[in-house]
Structure formats: C-alpha cells, structure tokens
Amino acid sequence: MGKKTEKSFRGILLGLTGASMVLGVILLTVGSVVVSGYSVYLDFITGRYLESAVFILVMGIVVVTVSAIGFYAALKSHYCMMTTFLIIMVLAILCELIAAVTTFALNGEKSHEMGMRKKLKESLDMYGSPTSPQQTKSWDLIQTELHCCGLNDVNDYSRSSFTNQTGYLPESCCGPLQLDKFGEPEKCRPDTPSRHKSGCVIALKSLLVRKVGVVGAMAVIVAIVQITIIVGASVLVSKWKVPGQCYPCY
C-alpha cells in the first residue's frame, strides 16, 4: 500500500471513528434527557421505563469510550486496537438493537399500565394528608406538568378526603386562576373554565409512549449508522498489513 493511499485510508478511518464517537454522544444525551424527564414521575411509573433509558445512557458512554480507542487506533494505524474496536462495536450494536426491541415492547405490556394506574390510585387517596406531603407534592407536579386532573377525570376527587374537607379541587387541577375582588386567586372547582379536562392516566401514558418511541427509534437509527461505519472501517482495515503479534500500543 502506497503512502498516499495509506494516508487516505487513515483519514477516512479517523472520520468513521469520529462519527461513531458523535453517535455515542447522541445516545448519551438522549439517555440523560429521558432519565431526567422520568425523574419527575418516579413515584408513578414502573422501573422498566427508567431502566431502558439508563441502559441507553450507559451504552452512549461505552460507545464514546470505545470510539475513542478506535480513533487512536486509526491515528496510529494500530491493527490490533482497531480490530478490538470493531469487535466491541459489533457487540454494542447488538445491545442497542436488543434495547430498542425491549423499549418498544414496553408500550404493549398491560402490566406496566396496570402498575402505573395502581400507584396513581394509591397516591391520589393520600392527597392532602398531613402524613403524606410527598404524595401531595407529586400529584401537584404531575397535574401541573401534564395539564391533567385526577386519574380519569375530575370526578376522582369527589371521593378524596381533600375535596371532602375543603370543598375544592387542588389548585394544580386548574390553569391560571382569576383574582377575586380582594386580589386573591379563585378556588379551583369542577366548573372553573381553566380546569384541566384530561385524566392523568391518559396524559402520563401518552408521555411515556412518546419517550419510549424516542429512545427506541434513536437506538435503532444509531445502530444502523454504526453498522455502516463498521462495514466501511472493516473494509479499510482488511487492506492493512496484519502484524505478526499485537502490542497494547506503540
């Protein structure tokens, strides 16, 4: 192989391994954003949703690290390190595809929806209780973030101790409230115009479906692009001279 050709191959490999590193950063970013988004709803969702996002985050870290090794191997024309990079990346792609299939399967599993509904029901019954301030805070947060009220609708609060004691709905069940003649915000009632109409079960399920779709689709897209990168890198590396033995580095 001529020096000019070798230099060209090296430049292409540097580009391919650099692109692989960028894909790892994308996985890491998506995983981090989704994990952060799930943290708001940890009191209501099953652990599988969080685990899938964490797995994508970890895979991002692995891909970035291994791609850095591949970049160094391309820079030094190190055959053994580049081979190691390709082998690990093949394993990483398999893990990403498995993670994507598992993540998409979450949307079809009724057990997760039933578990979520059960957690929502149990925590709603404790809303406003002085012994369960965290449950009250969690419900206020989810109703504010998702613009929802109750499990299925506002009628779920008709049986709650909070509404029975106060005669009102939680303020988080309503959007902006008008001020009365004393400058105080009006109470949130079933007939308040700004009251959220949808139930939180549907709203939270829709949110999870979107996030699961993003995580799964990103894993598939990244895996497909990585396959292209690995095939291209393998073709180029096959033209290198195979050393008699491998050393960790030069």
Side-chain angles (χ1 to χ4, degrees), residues 10 13-22 24 60-89 229 233 237 240 247-250:
R10 180 183 300 176
L13 281 173
L14 287 173
L16 291 175
T17 53
S20 179
M21 201 179 305
V22 171
I61 296 174
V62 171
V63 170
V64 169
T65 303
V66 176
S67 297
I69 295 175
F71 189 86
Y72 177 82
L75 186 64
K76 297 295 185 179
S77 298
H78 198 303
Y79 181 88
C80 296
M81 288 184 68
M82 182 58 72
T83 303
T84 301
F85 159 73
L86 293 174
I87 292 173
I88 297 178
M89 285 305 299
I229 291 174
V237 171
W240 285 2
Y247 296 96
C249 57
Y250 287 134

Side-chain angles (χ1 to χ4, degrees), residues 27-37 53 56-57:
L27 282 178
L28 177 60
T29 303
V30 171
S32 300
V33 170
V34 175
V35 167
S36 177
I56 292 297
L57 188 156

Side-chain angles (χ1 to χ4, degrees), residues 64-146:
V64 169
T65 303
V66 176
S67 297
I69 295 175
F71 189 86
Y72 177 82
L75 186 64
K76 297 295 185 179
S77 298
H78 198 303
Y79 181 88
C80 296
M81 288 184 68
M82 182 58 72
T83 303
T84 301
F85 159 73
L86 293 174
I87 292 173
I88 297 178
M89 285 305 299
V90 169
L91 297 176
I93 290 173
L94 292 176
C95 290
E96 288 165 10
L97 293 176
I98 292 173
V101 172
T102 304
T103 300
F104 283 129
L106 287 175
N107 286 335
E109 293 187 21
K110 295 297 183 181
S111 60
H112 295 297
E113 183 175 350
M114 293 174 61
M116 179 182 70
R117 184 181 290 272
K118 181 180 179 182
K119 289 184 177 183
L120 287 168
K121 177 66 172 63
E122 292 174 349
S123 58
L124 181 64
D125 293 338
M126 294 183 286
Y127 186 91
S129 172
T131 59
S132 305
Q134 183 58 41
Q135 302 298 334
T136 302
K137 182 179 178 181
S138 296
W139 263 101
D140 283 338
L141 184 60
I142 189 175
Q143 290 180 151
T144 301
E145 291 288 329
L146 300 182

Side-chain angles (χ1 to χ4, degrees), residues 1-12 236 239-240:
M1 185 187 300
K3 289 186 177 181
K4 187 176 181 180
T5 304
E6 182 179 353
K7 187 176 180 180
S8 299
F9 281 0
R10 180 183 300 176
I12 295 174
L236 295 177
K239 300 181 182 298
W240 285 2

